[in-house]
Amino acid sequence: MIVEQEKITYRGKEVIFRCATVDDGEMLLEAYKKVTGETPFLAADADEINLTVEQEKAFIEKNNSDPHTLLLLVFVDGQYAGNCSFAGKNSTRRTAHRASLGIALLREFTGMGLGGIALERLLAEAKKAGFEQMELEVYSENTRARKLYERLGFVECGSIPDHSRVNGESFDLIRMYKRL
Ligand SMILES: CC(C)(COP(=O)(O)OP(=O)(O)OC[C@H]1O[C@@H](n2cnc3c(N)ncnc32)[C@H](O)[C@@H]1OP(=O)(O)O)[C@@H](O)C(=O)NCCC(=O)NCCS
């Protein structure tokens, strides 16, 4: 889905939330590789991101045309800072009330409260789109993300031990949900 661009001032900076266009494809792919290299808390290593620009553009188009998905980019003073997204679990009517989200900010833009503002916006759009439950997965060691999700009202509902091994360290995966 496509939502209207929103511009706010946050800590003296201009913050823009907007959907991606295919022209963002190359930049988004580079940023995706960069952020996976910066944090151990995403699902893959940077050298495992083998998407082409064409595939990234197709991903953007799919997100924009599918009424059950939203890909929201965040820009701070004109610089790309990261993105958040949700996707509905609408493959059957039985699960169509649920969606799951993801978020990844470039390291330079973490730790300043931007994640919370972006997710509040995302959750509002998910509710507007008719979803009743938002779900997510987070590594146990990702203290910052877990704090943020708890502040936003997410509740833990299970975990998978030894879910991922990152640089020789084993991470459990925690599942969380929030009623919208
Ligand atoms: C996780 C992420 C979305 C959080 O967004 P953010 O804007 O950086 O988070 P905030 O600055 O709002 O901080 C969130 C909370 O963690 C706390 N915090 C900040 N830095 C911290 C740190 N280094 N260690 C522990 N807690 C920290 C903040 O005080 C805040 O607590 P509060 O919500 O109770 O006030 C963002 O850091 C990010 O994209 N990280 C990289 C990718 C990632 O981990 N994605 C999530 C995968 S599940």
Side-chain angles (χ1 to χ4, degrees), residues 35 39 41-42 103-105 109-116 137-139 142-145 147-149 151:
V35 75
T39 174
F41 298 134
L42 296 175
I103 180 166
L105 302 178
F109 298 96
T110 61
M112 55 193 245
L114 213 52
E137 294 178 339
V138 59
Y139 288 132
N142 195 350
T143 314
R144 182 155 59 191
K147 272 181 120 174
L148 172 61
Y149 299 147
R151 179 167 65 74

Side-chain angles (χ1 to χ4, degrees), residues 22-86:
V22 285
D23 293 341
D24 296 312
E26 198 167 348
M27 179 279 289
L28 270 189
L29 183 54
E30 283 314 304
Y32 182 33
K33 289 178 186 166
K34 185 174 180 198
V35 75
T36 50
E38 285 179 344
T39 174
F41 298 134
L42 296 175
D45 287 326
D47 62 359
E48 293 174 307
I49 310 296
N50 294 318
L51 292 172
T52 64
V53 173
E54 287 316 307
Q55 285 172 317
E56 185 69 17
K57 288 182 177 179
F59 173 74
I60 291 168
E61 280 179 331
K62 189 207 162 281
N63 270 281
N64 288 346
S65 61
D66 184 335
H68 307 104
T69 63
L70 174 60
L71 172 63
L72 199 58
L73 311 187
V74 186
F75 294 83
V76 175
D77 282 344
Q79 246 187 299
Y80 174 77
N83 72 71
C84 56
S85 59
F86 70 72

Side-chain angles (χ1 to χ4, degrees), residues 74-138:
V74 186
F75 294 83
V76 175
D77 282 344
Q79 246 187 299
Y80 174 77
N83 72 71
C84 56
S85 59
F86 70 72
K89 298 179 188 292
N90 57 298
S91 55
T92 65
R93 282 193 300 274
R94 295 179 182 190
T95 58
H97 58 291
R98 297 162 52 212
S100 59
L101 70 73
I103 180 166
L105 302 178
L106 291 168
R107 184 156 53 199
E108 187 187 341
F109 298 96
T110 61
M112 55 193 245
L114 213 52
I117 297 173
L119 287 183
E120 275 167 8
R121 176 87 213 271
L122 191 84
L123 291 169
E125 294 295 345
K127 192 177 163 80
K128 212 193 290 178
F131 290 104
E132 294 174 43
Q133 181 161 294
M134 186 59 76
E135 302 170 17
L136 61 83
E137 294 178 339
V138 59

